[in-house]
Amino acid sequence: MVLLFSTDPDGICHIETSGLDGESNLKQKQVVRRYAEQDSEVDPEKFSSRIECESPNNDLNRFRGFLEHSNKERVGLSKENLLLRGCTIRNTEAVMGIVVYAGHETKAMLNNSGPRYKRSKLERRANTDVLWCVLLLVVMCLTGALGHGIWLSRYENIPFFNIPEPDGHSLSPVLAGFYMFWTMIILLQVLIPISLYVSIEIVKLGQIYFIQSDVDFYNEKMGSTVQCRALNITEDLGQIQYLFSDKTGTLTENKMVFRRCSVAGFDYCHEENAKRLESYQEAASEDEDSADTPSGSLSNMVKPRALSCRTVHSRPLGSISSNHLTGSCFALESREGASEVPHSRQAAFSSPIETDVVPDTRLLDKFSQITPLLFTPTDETIPDPPLETLYIIDFFIALAICNTVVVSAPNQPRQKVGLSSLRGIPIKSLEEIKNLFQRLSVRRSSSPSLASGKEPSGVPNAFVSRLSLFNRMKPASPVEEEISQTSESLQGSDDSACPTEIEKQNSDAGIANGKVEALPGQPLTSSLCYEAESPDEAALVYAARAYQCTLQSRTPEQVVVDFAALGPLTFQLLHILPFDSVRKRMSVVVRHPLSNQVVVYTKGADSAIMELLSVASPDGPGLEKQQMMIREKTQKHLDDYAKRGLRTLCIAKRVMSDTEYAEWLRNHFLAETSIDNREELLLESAMRLENKLTLLGATGIEDRLQEGVPEAIEALHKAGIKIWMLTGDKQETAVNIAYACKLLEPNDKLFVLNTESKNACEMLMDTILKELQKNPASPEQASLSASLHQPPPTLQGSGLRAALIITGKTLEFALQESLQKQFLELTARCQAVVCCRATPLQKSEVVKLVRSHLRVMTLAIGDGANDVSMIQVADIGIGISGQEGMQAVMASDFAVSQFRHLSKLLLVHGHWCYTRLSNMILYFFYKNVAYVNLLFWYQFFCGFSGTSMTDYWVLIFFNLLFTSAPPVIYGVLEKDVSAETLMQLPELYRSGQRSEAYLPLTFWITLLDAFYQSLVCFFVPYYTYQGSDIDIFTFGNPLNTAALFVILLHLVIESKSLTWIHMLVIAGSILCYFCFALAFGAMCVTCNPPSNPYWIMQEHMADPVFYLVCVLTTCVALLPRFIYRVLQGSLFPSPILRAKHLDRLPAEERIEALKKWRGTGQMDQLTSKYADHSAVESERIPIYDPSAVFAVMSATACAVEKGNLPVCETALDSDFSETKASGMAGPSKD
């Protein structure tokens, strides 16, 4: 729906898109231009404009079109004017618009592939084998029919037992054989294991009970455990070969933490903030939401992490004024207020670990220089503001306003804060500000400035103007009139006194109670909530707030920032250039409230920003040299951040004249209103604006992984599972997280597929495949030699792996039918694949392609509604019950609270469920064939007459009662290897991937063994009683008894772990059989005339021959299987049997045996080089070993330092981190 009216006075509609992309934060949608100026609602009957837009498609991030008024004036339409089906309106009473897509043409419907009925692989295999049993039954019945006909035809005369028909005629041998076929069907139908399906369902219920009862899956913070929503595919958990995972919320916590920044060439490592993060990590028993304040937690910290960046301590942390600990004060107030103000729901990305930033002491000292006195013309002796101070001011202003963050108030959840709250106090005069700062005598920092003298026009000059600019004159340039209404000067409060008054009050009190009081009529900054589109944006805004550069409010026309001593600054918002994957940056164009100049603030990937910096300075080589020095220093800091695994982002600015901006705006308007080649025109327009930039600094943010994710992925890799990351995030963000969670290893060869055409995609895949095929013995070690310069592998005995990075546009080409085979061949040679910028439909198509063409077992895991389609398509769908709603959980087969639980779910419970159910199914086939064959062998001695040597009640109860419970208990409680060993040796999982427990050969060997045992069970009693005068039931009783012992003891041989429950059930089955036989023989006198089972069991139990027959039959029947198992366990044990042997060893010997296991044979290759670093906190991005030499080559910038770990500079914001060109990885040639 195209938005034409909103009750919001600013023409904004706030929405939540958790039902579409899984994000719960607020997003802004804008009323179409010109309609936003109307005060009254739009009347649909009077709507006369024409809308022309693109055809329906599934791209959630694109909408192209224009609205043409009756006067032929066109207004461009973009995704900012479109409300998608499935989104939820927040913070807006009512909206009105015109529908452009409906029904199945909506983007939500086009991204939904629909549900799929799932059947387990084992169930499909069992169904096939049931058909083989049916075929075997038909063959046995045909044999019986044919034998009966031949037997009758051998009599020359009609035998006396062949009773004629009522008309006196006798049946012909052919017709008798036909009738006998159906008689044999009835007699031998037990061969079809109908009870198997009932037993399977009972076993699966028991398995699910034990999975849900596992305390290791319990999450104390969320109060939830694993949910088994599908009852029929538990065994598939033990056969997974491909794992497809979402990134945000699945591998990460959606918590971005501000760690470091570089401003004007100076690195500020924020040591106190790092200590605060340490305190959060070490307090593992406490919930983050109930943790103490950062300053308090610092005192309780143990074993702080040593930092390489040295912090200059000008004074102890405890003596820092409250003004320096703004973030802590905010956190205190927000927590205390939380108990007083009801919250409908917590804002996204607002946990204390994200919002509470402790400022760096050195940077705070430099902040103390920022006062209005620096710009006062009354005292000519005061020099111009230092260049470094101007950099600092512009840097934090850019952090605060260069985003799309929505400001809301917690007392009215998700309600926008307008400007009215800022208009409570008359503005203070300049003399009052001057006297105020003189009284507080703000101390100047002793840190040296970068330069002195005049400031050039090419560097930040937002505050070059003198004190007269504090009058906040009403701007009246013609350019502003083209954009929006002229911004009114603030009639409300000048908050410049607020921070200083707070500082004065709390300094006297020593921040004893941690409370901050606001001036009358002024909202406290801690009462503001920030709703960001990404956690990166939220982290930067909270970092700026910690330095008292607080984002107060945002409207489509202006942004208000309360900047420490300078008070509230109202920036007129002229234009926003959102992020796109080609530019890898975003920009905001504002009119500065002090200088009245048009300023462009830009933030984005360092590789993109560095190319756009101004080369020459118009004010001479002196400033140009200083700018080059800042650039070189910042680049070194970026390299250091990247080595530490931080996500980097560059901040820059540009000052434009009104004439330049007006000319750019006219060209940009033409690009916005075009449909054809709109993206290309907008890109060209953005490139004209974003150039000749001045670098302000850089930031480093830590994307916090969920606890245990690296260890879980490492274990799954060892288990032979290929892991694909399918994410809608940008390339650099995805690659950075892939390295952090050990999906990509430092010595991996990276191949990046990022093309703009199908032909280019095909050529690039051909080139990569040719290089990978050069070394067929080790294809994963191959690389593109044309782009890589590498020495031989540094790790002897361990092959280097290949990894593929592919973007959404290229993935669209690769999924086309003509390239599918080539794409799958390429991915099959890669251990890990990362798909960036993938839509929900592309995710499901990738899973479907791999599952159907490679015929492998797939698992998809995600936490948002955008993962539903992928979850439904995969063989196993797992939803994570996180912060992104319950859509993924509701559509999943299993639900867990954290990704790390996946390792035990697969490696332990998946392995157990598969082996238990496989062996139980094989056992069912065995016992049915073994028992039914007793009846079949008897037919050879009764003329194939369909006679049974056992009473029918015994036939019924043999499968229903006597032998039904033991296999069920076996299927529920069997443990071939302990859980601890399975977790320590993930390689054991490979047996399930290869379906070793249930192969077609295994099935036929089981049937052959059943045939052999049935022959023994029949002919040993037959030859024992041959020539005697026993009746038919007396002959059948030893057969039944011996068969029972053989079948039950066969299960004992196959069991790897016998518990008292197993023995109790087996003993109970035997006891039940004898009790029934004795009772039935005592009561049934004329049950089956002329023969009857009366007193047969009683007589046999008094006969020693009966016992001898039973023992001899059991031993001879089970001897081959027993010998095979003994030889298998001693001469050629499988990995499962070796691991089972480890469980029996004492603790110390077991540890030594595990070490030897890992250090020999193939296990050495499967062990990660970085296993010794497993103690590193899992939710933090690890800092890779600098001694490992590798590089990530791309068309962006890559920093390679000799002797250090070169890591491609990645962007910080998830909206600013996509790299465009392809790249590879290889050791540096230095």
Side-chain angles (χ1 to χ4, degrees):
M1 183 177 76
V2 174
L3 187 60
L4 299 180
F5 172 78
S6 173
T7 54
D8 189 284
D10 300 316
I12 287 178
C13 172
H14 294 89
I15 64 170
E16 180 183 289
T17 59
S18 59
L20 294 173
D21 54 15
E23 298 181 2
S24 59
N25 50 287
L26 289 186
K27 295 179 176 63
Q28 283 187 354
K29 295 295 181 180
Q30 179 69 50
V31 173
V32 177
R33 194 180 305 153
R34 283 193 58 182
Y35 283 93
E37 303 170 2
Q38 300 180 4
D39 296 331
S40 59
E41 295 185 8
V42 177
D43 189 352
E45 296 182 355
K46 297 180 181 179
F47 181 80
S48 58
S49 302
R50 184 177 69 93
I51 293 179
E52 184 174 332
C53 60
E54 61 185 353
S55 301
N57 58 75
N58 57 8
D59 192 345
L60 300 175
N61 299 312
R62 189 188 73 181
F63 178 66
R64 295 183 295 188
F66 62 84
L67 186 147
E68 186 177 76
H69 297 290
S70 55
N71 59 359
K72 302 301 180 182
E73 179 186 357
R74 289 187 176 185
V75 178
L77 302 178
S78 66
K79 64 176 183 178
E80 303 301 327
N81 308 122
L82 188 68
L83 295 183
L84 300 178
R85 173 180 175 177
C87 64
T88 304
I89 297 177
R90 302 282 187 189
N91 190 20
T92 309
E93 294 181 2
V95 296
M96 187 176 294
I98 183 168
V99 176
V100 290
Y101 304 128
H104 290 278
E105 293 183 347
T106 59
K107 294 181 182 291
M109 290 296 293
L110 291 174
N111 273 283
N112 187 6
S113 60
R116 180 180 70 89
Y117 174 72
K118 298 181 180 181
R119 288 193 310 160
S120 69
K121 181 179 179 181
L122 194 60
E123 181 182 347
R124 296 193 297 269
R125 177 74 252 180
N127 290 340
T128 303
D129 291 338
V130 167
L131 294 179
W132 283 113
C133 288
V134 171
L135 181 60
L136 179 62
L137 174 65
V138 172
V139 171
M140 294 171 67
C141 293
L142 285 175
T143 303
L146 184 62
H148 185 66
I150 295 175
W151 186 70
L152 285 179
S153 63
R154 294 176 61 184
Y155 288 91
E156 297 179 357
N157 300 321
I158 298 176
F160 66 92
F161 50 81
N162 192 359
I163 302 175
E165 296 294 324
D167 57 359
H169 293 87
S170 299
L171 291 176
S172 65
V174 176
L175 186 59
F178 175 75
Y179 288 159
M180 186 54 59
F181 174 83
W182 300 109
T183 303
M184 297 290 289
I185 288 284
I186 298 173
L187 179 66
L188 305 180
Q189 50 86 24
V190 184
L191 185 66
I192 309 300
I194 303 300
S195 59
L196 170 64
Y197 291 94
V198 179
S199 301
I200 287 176
E201 297 303 319
I202 296 174
V203 167
K204 288 181 178 180
L205 286 176
Q207 292 176 348
I208 288 173
Y209 170 78
F210 284 110
I211 291 176
Q212 293 182 332
S213 301
D214 193 333
V215 295
D216 291 340
F217 292 133
Y218 182 71
N219 189 332
E220 294 183 0
K221 294 180 181 180
M222 301 183 62
S224 62
T225 184
V226 63
Q227 300 178 32
C228 300
R229 303 176 53 82
L231 304 181
N232 60 329
I233 54 176
T234 54
E235 63 273 21
D236 280 349
L237 291 172
Q239 299 178 276
I240 299 301
Q241 296 164 282
Y242 278 74
L243 188 152
F244 300 89
S245 174
D246 182 35
K247 182 188 73 68
T248 305
T250 303
L251 300 177
T252 66
E253 291 182 341
N254 257 355
K255 293 182 179 180
M256 305 293 180
V257 181
F258 183 83
R259 293 300 302 266
R260 306 175 73 149
C261 68
S262 172
V263 186
F266 286 91
D267 183 20
Y268 303 98
C269 63
H270 291 73
E271 186 181 36
E272 290 82 4
N273 193 48
K275 294 178 180 178
R276 175 186 69 88
L277 299 177
E278 286 288 341
S279 67
Y280 275 109
Q281 294 175 3
E282 292 173 0
S285 60
E286 293 186 22
D287 194 312
E288 284 182 1
D289 295 333
S290 63
D292 204 350
T293 61
S295 57
S297 60
L298 285 174
S299 61
N300 300 327
M301 172 193 67
V302 291
K303 298 181 181 178
R305 179 185 299 274
L307 297 177
S308 61
C309 178
R310 186 182 61 187
T311 305
V312 179
H313 295 279
S314 58
R315 56 181 178 268
L317 181 61
S319 63
I320 298 177
S321 65
S322 64
N323 189 31
H324 294 177
L325 293 175
T326 311
S328 301
C329 296
F330 292 159
L332 279 167
E333 185 65 24
S334 63
R335 287 194 192 90
E336 293 183 4
S339 61
E340 302 171 1
V341 181
H343 290 258
S344 62
R345 63 180 294 179
Q346 185 181 8
F349 322 128
S350 60
S351 64
I353 199 169
E354 299 170 282
T355 60
D356 303 344
V357 179
V358 180
D360 187 86
T361 54
R362 287 191 301 152
L363 191 53
L364 278 174
D365 290 339
K366 296 177 182 179
F367 253 83
S368 63
Q369 303 178 66
I370 304 174
T371 69
L373 300 178
L374 296 177
F375 313 105
T376 305
T378 56
D379 189 357
E380 297 296 336
T381 60
I382 298 179
D384 289 339
L387 182 60
E388 183 184 6
T389 302
L390 299 177
Y391 270 82
I392 293 174
I393 294 173
D394 275 326
F395 178 82
F396 283 98
I397 287 178
L399 294 188
I401 69 174
C402 190
N403 50 61
T404 57
V405 173
V406 178
V407 185
S408 59
N411 56 346
Q412 295 179 343
R414 302 212 163 198
Q415 297 298 317
K416 183 188 61 179
V417 177
L419 293 178
S420 59
S421 62
L422 302 174
R423 297 172 180 168
I425 301 178
I427 188 169
K428 290 185 178 293
S429 66
L430 299 177
E431 288 298 325
E432 291 175 340
I433 296 177
K434 179 179 179 179
N435 295 334
L436 179 62
F437 277 95
Q438 285 179 346
R439 289 199 309 269
L440 296 176
S441 37
V442 180
R443 181 174 64 84
R444 290 180 178 269
S445 173
S446 59
S447 303
S449 60
L450 279 175
S452 59
K454 278 191 172 183
E455 179 179 353
S457 60
V459 297
N461 54 1
F463 295 95
V464 169
S465 305
R466 291 301 179 181
L467 197 58
S468 58
L469 295 177
F470 276 86
N471 293 330
R472 291 167 171 76
M473 295 183 299
K474 181 178 180 180
S477 69
V479 180
E480 293 170 80
E481 296 176 359
E482 288 186 61
I483 302 298
S484 60
Q485 298 177 351
T486 306
S487 175
E488 298 181 1
S489 53
L490 275 178
Q491 300 299 323
S493 160
D494 186 333
D495 290 350
S496 60
C498 174
T500 53
E501 289 294 335
I502 294 174
E503 176 184 353
K504 182 178 179 180
Q505 296 169 6
N506 282 349
S507 296
D508 297 337
I511 326 181
N513 53 10
K515 295 183 179 179
V516 182
E517 297 182 0
L519 295 179
Q522 176 187 351
L524 194 65
T525 53
S526 62
S527 64
L528 302 178
C529 293
Y530 296 133
E531 299 277 357
E533 290 191 9
S534 68
D536 310 81
E537 285 192 345
L540 294 181
V541 173
Y542 284 120
R545 189 184 73 171
Y547 287 93
Q548 291 193 351
C549 181
T550 306
L551 177 63
Q552 292 278 17
S553 69
R554 177 187 295 275
T555 67
E557 290 82 20
Q558 59 189 21
V559 180
V560 179
V561 176
D562 183 9
F563 193 98
L566 300 179
L569 306 176
T570 303
F571 294 85
Q572 184 180 0
L573 191 57
L574 303 180
H575 213 94
I576 295 180
L577 294 180
F579 170 83
D580 65 66
S581 58
V582 179
R583 290 167 42 244
K584 296 174 287 185
R585 57 188 176 273
M586 81 162 289
S587 298
V588 293
V589 186
V590 297
R591 184 170 295 279
H592 206 286
L594 303 182
S595 64
N596 202 30
Q597 292 178 315
V598 177
V599 183
V600 181
Y601 289 105
T602 304
K603 71 174 180 180
D606 48 340
S607 57
I609 299 296
M610 290 295 184
E611 298 173 355
L612 303 174
L613 297 181
S614 178
V615 179
S617 175
D619 288 354
L623 264 297
E624 179 182 345
K625 183 177 180 181
Q626 292 177 0
Q627 292 177 30
M628 290 299 298
M629 180 179 64
I630 293 175
R631 179 175 179 176
E632 292 174 0
K633 290 183 177 180
T634 305
Q635 184 63 60
K636 291 183 179 179
H637 297 156
L638 288 169
D639 298 341
D640 181 60
Y641 295 170
K643 293 173 190 175
R644 296 176 179 273
L646 301 181
R647 296 157 49 123
T648 56
L649 185 71
C650 283
I651 312 295
K653 67 166 287 188
R654 177 190 177 187
V655 178
M656 301 179 67
S657 65
D658 289 351
T659 306
E660 290 176 325
Y661 179 66
E663 181 181 358
W664 174 85
L665 184 63
R666 283 189 291 270
N667 296 328
H668 191 74
F669 178 76
L670 296 176
E672 283 184 330
T673 55
S674 64
I675 294 183
D676 298 332
N677 300 323
R678 182 177 184 178
E679 283 79 10
E680 291 78 4
L681 294 175
L682 288 175
L683 176 61
E684 293 176 3
S685 178
M687 294 294 290
R688 287 193 297 268
L689 182 72
E690 298 167 331
N691 57 59
K692 300 179 182 179
L693 301 176
T694 301
L695 182 64
L696 299 176
T699 59
I701 282 188
E702 181 181 22
D703 188 1
R704 303 181 66 83
L705 295 174
Q706 290 186 18
E707 180 185 355
V709 168
E711 290 79 1
I713 289 183
E714 187 178 17
L716 295 176
H717 267 314
K718 292 181 179 180
I721 299 176
K722 290 190 175 183
I723 302 177
W724 291 34
M725 180 194 293
L726 307 180
T727 176
D729 272 334
K730 292 54 176 189
Q731 178 176 319
E732 293 182 355
T733 305
V735 172
N736 191 287
I737 294 298
Y739 274 113
C741 65
K742 294 187 178 181
L743 176 61
L744 299 179
E745 295 289 348
N747 55 352
D748 283 354
K749 298 294 185 292
L750 291 191
F751 301 96
V752 181
L753 282 178
N754 190 352
T755 60
E756 298 296 330
S757 67
K758 180 181 177 181
N759 292 335
C761 177
E762 184 176 7
M763 293 176 60
L764 185 56
M765 285 196 293
D766 280 338
T767 307
I768 297 175
L769 275 173
K770 289 179 182 178
E771 287 295 331
L772 288 174
Q773 293 170 354
K774 284 183 178 180
N775 187 3
S778 180
E780 294 179 351
Q781 297 183 21
S783 61
L784 282 179
S785 57
S787 301
L788 293 177
H789 305 281
Q790 61 175 22
T794 55
L795 298 178
Q796 297 181 358
S798 62
L800 300 181
R801 312 181 317 165
L804 180 68
I805 315 296
I806 184 170
T807 58
K809 184 67 174 177
T810 312
L811 188 60
E812 183 179 344
F813 303 138
L815 291 176
Q816 296 181 11
E817 188 174 356
S818 58
L819 296 182
Q820 286 181 359
K821 183 177 179 181
Q822 192 177 8
F823 175 64
L824 289 174
E825 185 180 357
L826 175 59
T827 57
R829 295 175 176 271
C830 299
Q831 186 68 17
V833 178
V834 178
C835 298
C836 319
R837 276 296 186 183
T839 64
L841 186 59
Q842 282 180 330
K843 291 182 179 181
S844 64
E845 288 178 348
V846 167
V847 177
K848 186 186 300 182
L849 176 67
V850 174
R851 179 178 58 84
S852 59
H853 285 69
L854 298 183
R855 301 194 178 277
V856 293
M857 296 296 296
T858 59
L859 181 146
I861 180 171
D863 71 317
N866 55 332
D867 304 316
V868 168
S869 184
M870 172 180 69
I871 287 173
Q872 291 177 338
V873 167
D875 294 293
I876 294 283
I878 295 184
I880 292 185
S881 52
Q883 302 175 353
E884 307 295 354
M886 297 295 291
Q887 290 91 338
V889 172
M890 297 299 294
S892 65
D893 305 309
F894 300 88
V896 295
S897 58
Q898 288 182 311
F899 183 88
R900 65 184 177 91
H901 294 155
L902 191 62
S903 58
K904 186 171 186 181
L905 184 63
L906 297 183
L907 303 182
V908 177
H909 292 283
H911 174 83
W912 283 346
C913 290
Y914 168 71
T915 54
R916 289 166 175 170
L917 212 55
S918 297
N919 293 331
M920 191 204 76
I921 292 174
L922 289 173
Y923 179 76
F924 253 92
F925 285 123
Y926 151 78
K927 78 181 184 69
N928 282 17
V929 171
Y931 188 70
V932 168
N933 274 353
L934 295 178
L935 301 174
F936 180 69
W937 303 135
Y938 183 69
Q939 302 308 308
F940 288 89
F941 299 92
C942 66
F944 298 95
S945 59
T947 306
S948 172
M949 70 289 188
T950 305
D951 187 83
Y952 289 128
W953 283 107
V954 178
L955 287 176
I956 293 173
F957 284 120
F958 193 88
N959 273 328
L960 182 64
L961 187 63
F962 306 145
T963 61
S964 60
V968 171
I969 297 299
Y970 174 82
V972 174
L973 300 179
E974 171 70 2
K975 289 184 181 180
D976 54 352
V977 185
S978 65
E980 294 77 11
T981 304
L982 288 172
M983 291 296 291
Q984 293 173 350
L985 298 174
E987 300 85 1
L988 300 177
Y989 186 81
R990 295 172 184 262
S991 63
Q993 293 175 332
R994 296 189 290 264
S995 301
E996 292 180 357
Y998 194 170
L999 294 170
L1001 179 62
T1002 310
F1003 169 76
W1004 291 111
I1005 290 176
T1006 301
L1007 292 192
L1008 290 177
D1009 191 23
F1011 270 90
Y1012 164 77
Q1013 293 185 16
S1014 65
L1015 285 171
V1016 173
C1017 288
F1018 180 82
F1019 284 102
V1020 169
Y1022 174 79
Y1023 286 112
T1024 301
Y1025 293 103
Q1026 188 178 17
S1028 64
D1029 58 350
I1030 60 173
D1031 62 5
I1032 182 173
F1033 284 167
T1034 305
F1035 171 69
N1037 188 59
L1039 269 67
N1040 285 327
T1041 307
L1044 178 70
F1045 281 108
V1046 169
I1047 289 173
L1048 293 181
L1049 292 179
H1050 179 98
L1051 184 63
V1052 173
I1053 294 175
E1054 293 299 307
S1055 297
K1056 303 299 187 299
S1057 59
L1058 287 175
T1059 64
W1060 64 270
I1061 300 179
H1062 289 83
M1063 304 309 297
L1064 179 64
V1065 171
I1066 291 176
S1069 297
I1070 297 175
L1071 183 63
C1072 181
Y1073 168 76
F1074 278 99
C1075 291
F1076 173 82
L1078 291 172
F1080 187 68
M1083 295 183 298
C1084 191
V1085 179
T1086 57
C1087 292
N1088 192 14
S1091 300
N1092 62 78
Y1094 180 73
W1095 217 249
I1096 290 178
M1097 180 59 75
Q1098 286 82 344
E1099 291 180 353
H1100 270 149
M1101 293 187 69
D1103 183 10
V1105 177
F1106 171 77
Y1107 295 100
L1108 179 62
V1109 168
C1110 291
V1111 172
L1112 181 62
T1113 303
T1114 303
C1115 294
V1116 174
L1118 295 178
L1119 186 62
R1121 177 161 293 267
F1122 181 76
I1123 293 176
Y1124 170 74
R1125 291 302 181 191
V1126 171
L1127 294 178
Q1128 183 188 34
S1130 57
L1131 298 182
F1132 45 94
S1134 64
I1136 298 295
L1137 293 177
R1138 292 173 55 199
K1140 178 63 179 176
H1141 176 70
L1142 296 181
D1143 291 335
R1144 301 191 182 100
L1145 298 177
E1148 296 182 356
E1149 295 182 12
R1150 184 171 177 273
I1151 294 175
E1152 292 298 325
L1154 284 173
K1155 291 180 180 179
K1156 293 180 180 179
W1157 181 304
R1158 297 190 184 101
T1160 57
Q1162 294 296 326
M1163 301 306 171
D1164 185 48
Q1165 297 183 10
L1166 297 169
T1167 304
S1168 173
K1169 179 185 177 183
Y1170 301 98
D1172 294 335
H1173 301 288
S1174 60
V1176 177
E1177 293 83 283
S1178 57
E1179 73 255 18
R1180 300 183 56 180
I1181 296 181
I1183 300 175
Y1184 299 117
D1185 187 0
S1187 61
V1189 183
F1190 80 104
V1192 179
M1193 309 290 293
S1194 69
T1196 59
C1198 188
V1200 181
E1201 297 183 42
K1202 187 172 183 179
N1204 291 308
L1205 178 67
V1207 180
C1208 187
E1209 300 157 2
T1210 54
L1212 157 67
D1213 195 302
S1214 62
D1215 287 337
F1216 309 98
S1217 55
E1218 175 135 348
T1219 187
K1220 179 181 178 182
S1222 64
M1224 296 85 187
S1228 171
K1229 198 176 181 180
D1230 291 341

